[in-house]
């Protein structure tokens, strides 16, 4: 691919980052407006959390469709469709009906499923393999900046009296504008290399057959899912309520504290991506980030006065940036011509893990919130996530090293 075309893909990738930013704003914002949404949809808190969680049903399944679409139709059409669906999903939240609320959240999940695979697809076209992990880390950095904005910015606005319909209206409008911008700036696909040509010749499901029959793909997805779940389930859904009920934080402090995880991702994702590219190895950084997550949670449990909860959650976010490293590994352990499907596959497995863990955590810890000993309840909820992180470390021992140093040795 010539340099001018690569530059066009980098420009398209920048607009993709806007899509991914909006993805996370819309994904995380409900956590700071639970009382307002409960009233808006005329439901109770537990049912509302279930409604918000339906996002991951379509997110995980549509990640597979996003991978196929990217490999078969390229980024131009695929990203337009995904961004437009997300915009419609946001606008449906304007209607005070449980049916439209669930429908809107399902559409939000379906549309967001195209954001990260699309950005990785564009990055893989515009950047060299030596800087790909850094680009992927920066992509996630922008996403988590959106997640932090969904809590740091939206939370205080809602607290100060902003109508939640104002948020959902403008979120939908900006997202739809981004959809058309992506359509016009993304280069039209050309069969200018063997990988693209090979991808087009394969059947719709053959690309996934290649990815899913590779055991390394499953290991990548499981590791990423177990490291990502404390952020998606705890920090972005339950943390505000847990800090309010179990730790007796004021709403504003609870929202800021939970948002520090996403803020930590803003630094952790590009930092860990840069380190793994710099040293030419993936696994040491992956395990190191997971260990940092465990240390931050143990400090919250046993030494809560050593650092403030905000700092602890920030450190947790930095460490959990390691969840993005398997996204580089899965691309390096599968053929180049299934790069879209490999990202779709890891998204499917990652958020499949989230979809399975969310009701488990809600059943054992969410429904007992405020009904049992607050200190023990909070500690046990964190032990749940520590167990998952330890499992991720054990699975990573089976992962094949794919860093540039190993590739050179081969």
């Amino acid at each position: 691919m010539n340099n001018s075309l690569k530059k066009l893909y980098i420009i398209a990738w920048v607009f993709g980052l806007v899509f991914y930013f909006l993805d996370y704003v819309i994904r995380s914002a409900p956590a700071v407006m639970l009382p307002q949404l409960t009233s808006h949809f005329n439901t109770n808190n537990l049912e509302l959390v279930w409604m918000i969680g339906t996002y991951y049903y379509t997110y995980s399944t549509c990640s597979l469709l996003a991978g196929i679409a990217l490999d078969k139709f390229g980024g131009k059409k695929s990203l337009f469709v995904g961004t437009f669906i997300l915009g419609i999903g946001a606008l449906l939240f304007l209607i005070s009906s449980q049916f439209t609320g669930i429908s809107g959240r399902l559409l939000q999940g379906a549309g967001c499923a195209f954001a990260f695979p699309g950005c990785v697809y564009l990055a893989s076209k515009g950047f060299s393999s030596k800087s790909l992990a850094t680009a992927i880390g920066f992509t996630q950095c922008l996403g988590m900046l959106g997640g932090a904005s969904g809590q740091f910015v939206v939370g205080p606005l809602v607290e100060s009296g902003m109508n939640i319909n104002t948020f959902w209206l403008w979120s939908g409008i900006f997202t739809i504008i981004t959809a058309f911008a992506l359509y016009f700036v993304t280069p039209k696909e050309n069969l200018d290399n063997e990988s693209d040509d090979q991808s087009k010749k394969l059947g719709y499901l053959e690309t996934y057959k290649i990815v899913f029959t590779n055991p390394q793909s499953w290991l990548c997805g499981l590791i990423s899912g177990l490291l990502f779940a404390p952020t998606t389930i705890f920090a972005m859904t339950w943390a505000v309520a847990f800090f309010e009920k179990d730790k007796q934080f004021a709403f504003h402090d609870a929202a800021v504290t939970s948002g520090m995880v996403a803020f930590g991702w803003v630094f952790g994702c590009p930092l860990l991506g840069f380190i793994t590219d710099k040293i030419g190895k993936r696994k040491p950084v992956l395990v190191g980030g997971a260990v940092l997550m465990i240390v931050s949670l143990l400090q919250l449990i046993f030494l809560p006065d050593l650092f403030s909860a905000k700092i602890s959650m920030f450190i947790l976010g930095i460490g959990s940036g390691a969840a993005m490293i398997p996204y580089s590994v899965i691309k390096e352990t599968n053929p180049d011509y299934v790069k879209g499907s490999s990202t779709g596959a890891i998204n499917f497995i990652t958020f499949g893990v989230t979809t399975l863990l969310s009701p488990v955590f809600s059943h054992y810890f969410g429904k007992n919130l405020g009904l049992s000993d607050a200190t023990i309840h909070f500690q046990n909820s964190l032990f749940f996530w520590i167990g998952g992180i330890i499992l991720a470390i054990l699975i990573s021992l089976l992962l094949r090293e794919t860093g540039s140093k190993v590739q050179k040795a081969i």
Side-chain angles (χ1 to χ4, degrees), residues 268-292:
C269 288
L271 175 63
L272 297 185
F274 173 78
I275 293 173
T276 187
D277 278 339
K278 191 72 174 177
I279 68 174
K281 291 186 177 181
R282 307 302 191 200
K283 291 176 65 173
V285 184
L286 173 61
V287 173
V291 170
L292 185 61

Side-chain angles (χ1 to χ4, degrees), residues 1-10 121-127 187 189-190 192-194 196 339:
M1 187 183 296
N2 60 55
N3 289 332
S4 60
L5 189 57
K6 282 189 174 184
K7 288 179 181 179
L8 289 176
Y9 273 110
I10 292 174
Y121 179 87
L122 295 173
S124 67
K125 295 271 191 177
F127 295 94
E189 293 296 309
N190 293 306
D192 58 350
N193 60 59
E194 185 180 346
D196 285 342
K339 51 183 168 283

Side-chain angles (χ1 to χ4, degrees), residues 227-243:
L227 295 181
F228 208 12
T231 300
T232 55
I233 301 173
F234 182 65
M236 291 190 173
T237 304
W238 283 106
V240 174
F242 270 64
F243 279 113

Side-chain angles (χ1 to χ4, degrees), residues 123-177:
S124 67
K125 295 271 191 177
F127 295 94
S128 69
S129 59
K130 291 182 179 179
S131 56
L132 181 59
T134 304
I136 291 175
F138 188 76
T139 298
Q140 191 62 25
C141 161
L142 261 291
M144 297 314 290
L145 186 60
S149 299
Q151 294 180 311
F152 281 127
V153 179
V154 178
L157 288 174
V158 171
E159 188 181 18
S160 65
M162 182 188 77
N163 192 307
I164 61 172
N165 282 349
T166 302
F167 168 79
W168 293 110
L169 174 64
W170 285 107
S171 294
I173 290 173
F174 281 129
T175 305
I176 290 174
I177 290 173

Side-chain angles (χ1 to χ4, degrees), residues 24 27-28 31-32 56 137 140-152 226-240 242-243 249 252-270 272 289 292-294 296-297 299-300 308-324 378 382 385 389:
Y24 262 96
R27 183 189 306 194
S28 63
V32 296
Y56 295 106
Q140 191 62 25
C141 161
L142 261 291
M144 297 314 290
L145 186 60
S149 299
Q151 294 180 311
F152 281 127
L226 290 168
L227 295 181
F228 208 12
T231 300
T232 55
I233 301 173
F234 182 65
M236 291 190 173
T237 304
W238 283 106
V240 174
F242 270 64
F243 279 113
F249 283 20
H252 175 77
D253 289 336
V256 172
T257 302
S258 64
M260 290 301 289
V261 174
F263 196 52
W265 269 71
V266 172
F267 293 92
C269 288
L272 297 185
L292 185 61
M293 293 177 70
I294 293 173
S296 67
L297 291 173
Q299 181 263 313
L300 264 177
S308 69
K310 294 183 181 69
I311 294 176
S312 303
M313 296 293 276
F314 177 73
I315 294 172
L316 175 66
I318 291 177
S320 61
M324 302 315 301
F378 188 78
L382 297 189
W385 299 119
I389 298 167

Side-chain angles (χ1 to χ4, degrees), residues 208-219:
Y208 279 119
K209 182 180 179 181
I210 293 170
V211 177
F212 282 121
T213 54
N214 182 354
Q216 292 291 309
S217 299
W218 289 96
L219 296 178

